[in-house]
Amino acid sequence: VRALTALARFFRIGLSKGKKIIPVRDEIEHVKNYLTIQKMRYKNKFEYYFEVDDKVLQLSTLKLILQPIVENAFLYGVSEKEENTIITITAWQEAEDLFLRISDNGEGLEEEKLTELRDSLHETQETNHIGISNVHQRIQLLYGPSYGLEIDSIKELGFSVTMRLPFELT
């Protein structure tokens, strides 16, 4: 029942009556539903935490930008790690910008792979990093080149993606 409820809510927010822009509150709920489903799939292999400033919940964001990044944590972090992985989703406002960060304590990337991933954000042709590139390009297409993703990683210490978006009230 929990899985079915989470899946129904996941799809409801994913559709969002055709809207491209939704409240941060809905985007956070969308990724919570995704994590609920993954928690059942991976049993107790990971934990997740949300550190969300209440002030940002009424702000607007492009929909479906958190889940693809969280999905990468499962593809490259949770499934390969034997001990518990911790995924943290953080949201805050600085001046006129909204920041959303997804971080994990997974394997992280070597410097060469990190550079390759960062470079792939700006490629318009097909890449192996479809989810991350798609989110970055959608943000920049809507808000301009000052916005998008910043990727950080330290081998064996983890990985993080920070999204910078303009401050917009719903």
Side-chain angles (χ1 to χ4, degrees):
V1 170
R2 249 180 72 205
L4 204 50
T5 301
L7 188 60
R9 288 180 178 159
F10 178 80
F11 285 128
R12 180 181 54 82
I13 292 169
L15 295 173
S16 301
K17 298 177 185 174
K19 297 177 185 175
K20 287 191 315 188
I21 306 296
I22 61 173
V24 170
R25 176 184 324 285
D26 290 353
E27 185 67 8
I28 295 289
E29 182 183 338
H30 183 73
V31 82
K32 281 182 181 177
N33 290 317
Y34 177 77
L35 286 164
T36 297
I37 294 163
Q38 293 293 30
K39 187 81 168 166
M40 292 175 195
R41 176 180 177 200
Y42 285 100
K43 309 287 186 252
N44 292 320
K45 258 191 148 177
F46 76 96
E47 295 295 326
Y48 60 90
Y49 301 96
F50 286 85
E51 298 170 0
V52 178
D53 185 342
D54 287 342
K55 293 183 289 187
V56 304
L57 293 174
Q58 79 276 1
L59 298 179
S60 295
T61 186
L62 192 58
K63 80 173 177 182
L64 303 177
I65 58 174
L66 290 175
Q67 183 273 329
I69 309 304
V70 171
E71 185 175 345
N72 278 348
F74 290 99
L75 293 174
Y76 303 108
V78 174
S79 60
E80 297 174 9
K81 201 170 182 184
E82 289 184 27
E83 65 272 9
N84 281 348
T85 298
I86 298 171
I87 298 170
T88 305
I89 292 93
T90 311
W92 73 97
Q93 178 189 347
E94 276 182 31
E96 298 300 313
D97 292 329
L98 165 66
F99 291 90
L100 303 167
R101 178 178 292 143
I102 300 94
S103 56
D104 67 58
N105 66 338
E107 294 299 313
L109 293 175
E110 294 174 0
E111 193 61 39
E112 181 179 314
K113 293 280 187 187
L114 180 59
T115 300
E116 177 186 312
L117 181 57
R118 286 175 175 156
D119 290 346
S120 76
L121 291 179
H122 308 290
E123 295 174 8
T124 53
Q125 67 265 15
E126 195 169 316
T127 174
N128 290 335
H129 312 289
I130 296 168
I132 287 179
S133 295
N134 177 278
V135 169
H136 180 71
Q137 290 171 12
R138 286 175 48 225
I139 291 170
Q140 289 201 327
L141 186 63
L142 190 61
Y143 300 118
S146 310
Y147 300 99
L149 306 185
E150 182 179 307
I151 302 170
D152 293 303
S153 181
I154 298 174
K155 184 71 178 148
E156 298 183 26
L157 291 179
F159 185 84
S160 75
V161 175
T162 303
M163 300 175 193
R164 181 176 175 217
L165 303 153
F167 173 94
E168 292 184 331
L169 289 171
T170 54

PDB file of all heavy atoms in Angstrom, residues 70-86:
ATOM      1  N   VAL A  70      18.940  12.439  -7.986  1.00  0.00           N
ATOM      2  CA  VAL A  70      18.874  11.431  -6.924  1.00  0.00           C
ATOM      3  C   VAL A  70      19.016  10.034  -7.532  1.00  0.00           C
ATOM      4  O   VAL A  70      19.670   9.165  -6.960  1.00  0.00           O
ATOM      5  CB  VAL A  70      17.568  11.572  -6.108  1.00  0.00           C
ATOM      6  CG1 VAL A  70      17.394  10.403  -5.155  1.00  0.00           C
ATOM      7  CG2 VAL A  70      17.564  12.887  -5.336  1.00  0.00           C
ATOM      8  N   GLU A  71      18.428   9.829  -8.690  1.00  0.00           N
ATOM      9  CA  GLU A  71      18.541   8.536  -9.366  1.00  0.00           C
ATOM     10  C   GLU A  71      20.004   8.175  -9.631  1.00  0.00           C
ATOM     11  O   GLU A  71      20.399   7.018  -9.516  1.00  0.00           O
ATOM     12  CB  GLU A  71      17.749   8.549 -10.674  1.00  0.00           C
ATOM     13  CG  GLU A  71      17.731   7.211 -11.371  1.00  0.00           C
ATOM     14  CD  GLU A  71      16.831   7.213 -12.594  1.00  0.00           C
ATOM     15  OE1 GLU A  71      16.004   8.133 -12.748  1.00  0.00           O
ATOM     16  OE2 GLU A  71      16.969   6.266 -13.393  1.00  0.00           O
ATOM     17  N   ASN A  72      20.821   9.175  -9.968  1.00  0.00           N
ATOM     18  CA  ASN A  72      22.248   8.916 -10.175  1.00  0.00           C
ATOM     19  C   ASN A  72      22.915   8.374  -8.909  1.00  0.00           C
ATOM     20  O   ASN A  72      23.848   7.575  -8.992  1.00  0.00           O
ATOM     21  CB  ASN A  72      22.966  10.188 -10.620  1.00  0.00           C
ATOM     22  CG  ASN A  72      22.815  10.437 -12.089  1.00  0.00           C
ATOM     23  OD1 ASN A  72      22.371   9.585 -12.841  1.00  0.00           O
ATOM     24  ND2 ASN A  72      23.168  11.630 -12.516  1.00  0.00           N
ATOM     25  N   ALA A  73      22.454   8.832  -7.750  1.00  0.00           N
ATOM     26  CA  ALA A  73      23.016   8.315  -6.496  1.00  0.00           C
ATOM     27  C   ALA A  73      22.784   6.812  -6.387  1.00  0.00           C
ATOM     28  O   ALA A  73      23.631   6.087  -5.865  1.00  0.00           O
ATOM     29  CB  ALA A  73      22.404   9.044  -5.298  1.00  0.00           C
ATOM     30  N   PHE A  74      21.654   6.341  -6.903  1.00  0.00           N
ATOM     31  CA  PHE A  74      21.381   4.904  -6.868  1.00  0.00           C
ATOM     32  C   PHE A  74      22.181   4.161  -7.918  1.00  0.00           C
ATOM     33  O   PHE A  74      22.679   3.070  -7.673  1.00  0.00           O
ATOM     34  CB  PHE A  74      19.884   4.639  -7.053  1.00  0.00           C
ATOM     35  CG  PHE A  74      19.095   5.072  -5.873  1.00  0.00           C
ATOM     36  CD1 PHE A  74      18.436   6.278  -5.875  1.00  0.00           C
ATOM     37  CD2 PHE A  74      19.062   4.298  -4.730  1.00  0.00           C
ATOM     38  CE1 PHE A  74      17.736   6.705  -4.769  1.00  0.00           C
ATOM     39  CE2 PHE A  74      18.367   4.709  -3.611  1.00  0.00           C
ATOM     40  CZ  PHE A  74      17.701   5.913  -3.634  1.00  0.00           C
ATOM     41  N   LEU A  75      22.326   4.767  -9.085  1.00  0.00           N
ATOM     42  CA  LEU A  75      23.064   4.106 -10.158  1.00  0.00           C
ATOM     43  C   LEU A  75      24.549   3.974  -9.837  1.00  0.00           C
ATOM     44  O   LEU A  75      25.182   2.982 -10.178  1.00  0.00           O
ATOM     45  CB  LEU A  75      22.897   4.886 -11.466  1.00  0.00           C
ATOM     46  CG  LEU A  75      21.498   4.896 -12.064  1.00  0.00           C
ATOM     47  CD1 LEU A  75      21.440   5.824 -13.263  1.00  0.00           C
ATOM     48  CD2 LEU A  75      21.072   3.495 -12.448  1.00  0.00           C
ATOM     49  N   TYR A  76      25.105   5.006  -9.162  1.00  0.00           N
ATOM     50  CA  TYR A  76      26.553   5.023  -8.967  1.00  0.00           C
ATOM     51  C   TYR A  76      27.003   4.990  -7.518  1.00  0.00           C
ATOM     52  O   TYR A  76      28.194   4.894  -7.256  1.00  0.00           O
ATOM     53  CB  TYR A  76      27.139   6.276  -9.644  1.00  0.00           C
ATOM     54  CG  TYR A  76      26.800   6.333 -11.108  1.00  0.00           C
ATOM     55  CD1 TYR A  76      25.879   7.249 -11.588  1.00  0.00           C
ATOM     56  CD2 TYR A  76      27.374   5.444 -12.010  1.00  0.00           C
ATOM     57  CE1 TYR A  76      25.549   7.293 -12.930  1.00  0.00           C
ATOM     58  CE2 TYR A  76      27.043   5.473 -13.345  1.00  0.00           C
ATOM     59  CZ  TYR A  76      26.139   6.399 -13.814  1.00  0.00           C
ATOM     60  OH  TYR A  76      25.806   6.429 -15.135  1.00  0.00           O
ATOM     61  N   GLY A  77      26.099   5.081  -6.577  1.00  0.00           N
ATOM     62  CA  GLY A  77      26.491   5.132  -5.169  1.00  0.00           C
ATOM     63  C   GLY A  77      25.918   4.011  -4.349  1.00  0.00           C
ATOM     64  O   GLY A  77      26.632   3.146  -3.846  1.00  0.00           O
ATOM     65  N   VAL A  78      24.605   3.949  -4.234  1.00  0.00           N
ATOM     66  CA  VAL A  78      23.939   2.998  -3.345  1.00  0.00           C
ATOM     67  C   VAL A  78      24.178   1.565  -3.777  1.00  0.00           C
ATOM     68  O   VAL A  78      24.538   0.723  -2.968  1.00  0.00           O
ATOM     69  CB  VAL A  78      22.414   3.286  -3.273  1.00  0.00           C
ATOM     70  CG1 VAL A  78      21.697   2.215  -2.477  1.00  0.00           C
ATOM     71  CG2 VAL A  78      22.169   4.652  -2.662  1.00  0.00           C
ATOM     72  N   SER A  79      23.996   1.261  -5.051  1.00  0.00           N
ATOM     73  CA  SER A  79      24.072  -0.131  -5.496  1.00  0.00           C
ATOM     74  C   SER A  79      25.467  -0.720  -5.353  1.00  0.00           C
ATOM     75  O   SER A  79      25.613  -1.922  -5.185  1.00  0.00           O
ATOM     76  CB  SER A  79      23.599  -0.244  -6.949  1.00  0.00           C
ATOM     77  OG  SER A  79      24.402   0.549  -7.788  1.00  0.00           O
ATOM     78  N   GLU A  80      26.505   0.114  -5.394  1.00  0.00           N
ATOM     79  CA  GLU A  80      27.865  -0.403  -5.326  1.00  0.00           C
ATOM     80  C   GLU A  80      28.439  -0.428  -3.913  1.00  0.00           C
ATOM     81  O   GLU A  80      29.444  -1.067  -3.663  1.00  0.00           O
ATOM     82  CB  GLU A  80      28.771   0.448  -6.219  1.00  0.00           C
ATOM     83  CG  GLU A  80      28.376   0.360  -7.682  1.00  0.00           C
ATOM     84  CD  GLU A  80      29.170   1.310  -8.553  1.00  0.00           C
ATOM     85  OE1 GLU A  80      30.141   1.914  -8.058  1.00  0.00           O
ATOM     86  OE2 GLU A  80      28.814   1.442  -9.722  1.00  0.00           O
ATOM     87  N   LYS A  81      27.816   0.244  -2.992  1.00  0.00           N
ATOM     88  CA  LYS A  81      28.365   0.397  -1.654  1.00  0.00           C
ATOM     89  C   LYS A  81      27.726  -0.616  -0.710  1.00  0.00           C
ATOM     90  O   LYS A  81      26.521  -0.771  -0.681  1.00  0.00           O
ATOM     91  CB  LYS A  81      28.105   1.832  -1.172  1.00  0.00           C
ATOM     92  CG  LYS A  81      29.006   2.270  -0.078  1.00  0.00           C
ATOM     93  CD  LYS A  81      28.843   3.759   0.160  1.00  0.00           C
ATOM     94  CE  LYS A  81      29.819   4.156   1.247  1.00  0.00           C
ATOM     95  NZ  LYS A  81      29.711   5.515   1.636  1.00  0.00           N
ATOM     96  N   GLU A  82      28.535  -1.288   0.070  1.00  0.00           N
ATOM     97  CA  GLU A  82      27.991  -2.291   0.973  1.00  0.00           C
ATOM     98  C   GLU A  82      27.402  -1.668   2.226  1.00  0.00           C
ATOM     99  O   GLU A  82      26.359  -2.097   2.693  1.00  0.00           O
ATOM    100  CB  GLU A  82      29.070  -3.307   1.333  1.00  0.00           C
ATOM    101  CG  GLU A  82      29.416  -4.193   0.156  1.00  0.00           C
ATOM    102  CD  GLU A  82      30.404  -5.262   0.515  1.00  0.00           C
ATOM    103  OE1 GLU A  82      30.458  -5.660   1.693  1.00  0.00           O
ATOM    104  OE2 GLU A  82      31.118  -5.706  -0.382  1.00  0.00           O
ATOM    105  N   GLU A  83      28.067  -0.671   2.793  1.00  0.00           N
ATOM    106  CA  GLU A  83      27.520  -0.038   3.989  1.00  0.00           C
ATOM    107  C   GLU A  83      26.485   1.008   3.591  1.00  0.00           C
ATOM    108  O   GLU A  83      26.310   1.302   2.421  1.00  0.00           O
ATOM    109  CB  GLU A  83      28.615   0.581   4.857  1.00  0.00           C
ATOM    110  CG  GLU A  83      29.342   1.738   4.218  1.00  0.00           C
ATOM    111  CD  GLU A  83      30.541   1.355   3.362  1.00  0.00           C
ATOM    112  OE1 GLU A  83      30.760   0.171   3.084  1.00  0.00           O
ATOM    113  OE2 GLU A  83      31.243   2.272   2.959  1.00  0.00           O
ATOM    114  N   ASN A  84      25.801   1.554   4.572  1.00  0.00           N
ATOM    115  CA  ASN A  84      24.731   2.522   4.303  1.00  0.00           C
ATOM    116  C   ASN A  84      25.238   3.765   3.589  1.00  0.00           C
ATOM    117  O   ASN A  84      26.174   4.400   4.020  1.00  0.00           O
ATOM    118  CB  ASN A  84      24.052   2.939   5.603  1.00  0.00           C
ATOM    119  CG  ASN A  84      23.062   1.905   6.072  1.00  0.00           C
ATOM    120  OD1 ASN A  84      22.711   0.982   5.342  1.00  0.00           O
ATOM    121  ND2 ASN A  84      22.593   2.042   7.285  1.00  0.00           N
ATOM    122  N   THR A  85      24.545   4.093   2.535  1.00  0.00           N
ATOM    123  CA  THR A  85      24.769   5.352   1.844  1.00  0.00           C
ATOM    124  C   THR A  85      23.811   6.364   2.445  1.00  0.00           C
ATOM    125  O   THR A  85      22.685   6.027   2.799  1.00  0.00           O
ATOM    126  CB  THR A  85      24.481   5.189   0.339  1.00  0.00           C
ATOM    127  OG1 THR A  85      25.378   4.222  -0.193  1.00  0.00           O
ATOM    128  CG2 THR A  85      24.638   6.501  -0.403  1.00  0.00           C
ATOM    129  N   ILE A  86      24.243   7.595   2.555  1.00  0.00           N
ATOM    130  CA  ILE A  86      23.392   8.671   3.045  1.00  0.00           C
ATOM    131  C   ILE A  86      23.212   9.669   1.913  1.00  0.00           C
ATOM    132  O   ILE A  86      24.186  10.163   1.350  1.00  0.00           O
ATOM    133  CB  ILE A  86      24.001   9.362   4.280  1.00  0.00           C
ATOM    134  CG1 ILE A  86      24.127   8.355   5.419  1.00  0.00           C
ATOM    135  CG2 ILE A  86      23.150  10.561   4.690  1.00  0.00           C
ATOM    136  CD1 ILE A  86      24.902   8.878   6.612  1.00  0.00           C
TER     137      ILE A  86
END
